[in-house]
Amino acid sequence: MIILDTGAVSALAGGHKALNLLAGNMARTPGHRLRVPALCLMQAETQDEQASRIVLCLSGVVVDDLDTIAAVSVGAMIRDGYGGAHTCHALYCALPRVEFTGMSILLTGNEDAYPPGVLTVDIDSPGMLGFH
């Protein structure tokens, strides 16, 4: 599962080449989508009024809702000092789940926002998705 945090959502909305190509590829691959935590989408929208419209128009993107279990877990992460609401929702989405097998990849503009053990990839790192 590939997750976009707030920085990645903002970059996608801003036309980030590698992320737009990835979203297009995901749309053409049955059963694969980029997952955007709802609170990351909310935070990106507070920074750019067009962000949600642009990102939600992409068929390769789905929003990971903040359901009851997620709300309690994210609240506990915030209380325990793992970051703000949007960072903790992205972290929650990256945790292992019954419905997803394998390791989640969290695409971010700030790898330092997440604790060790979370597989993060900087969206601007050399070689991301084959771009140098």
Side-chain angles (χ1 to χ4, degrees):
M1 177 167 59
I2 299 176
I3 303 156
L4 305 179
D5 78 351
T6 302
V9 170
S10 294
L12 178 61
H16 191 279
K17 184 176 180 179
L19 289 176
N20 274 279
L21 287 172
L22 179 61
N25 288 338
M26 293 299 243
R28 290 188 295 277
T29 307
H32 290 88
R33 298 289 178 261
L34 296 175
R35 300 192 75 81
V36 174
L39 295 181
C40 292
L41 182 62
M42 176 203 69
Q43 185 65 30
E45 181 68 14
T46 66
Q47 298 164 1
D48 175 8
E49 66 181 292
Q50 299 295 320
S52 64
R53 275 184 239 149
I54 294 168
V55 170
L56 293 176
C57 284
L58 301 170
S59 61
V61 174
V62 295
V63 176
D64 202 293
D65 295 329
L66 186 69
D67 62 16
T68 305
I69 303 291
V72 171
S73 299
V74 169
M77 288 178 190
I78 295 167
R79 182 189 62 236
D80 293 343
Y82 285 97
H86 60 103
T87 301
C88 289
H89 194 197
L91 181 57
Y92 171 80
C93 290
L95 294 174
R97 298 186 192 191
V98 173
E99 64 268 23
F100 299 108
T101 58
M103 186 80 160
S104 295
I105 299 169
L106 182 57
L107 299 181
T108 180
N110 181 13
E111 290 181 293
D112 295 332
Y114 300 97
V118 177
L119 180 56
T120 58
V121 175
D122 189 317
I123 59 172
D124 293 318
S125 64
M128 166 141 159
L129 302 174
F131 292 100
H132 298 280

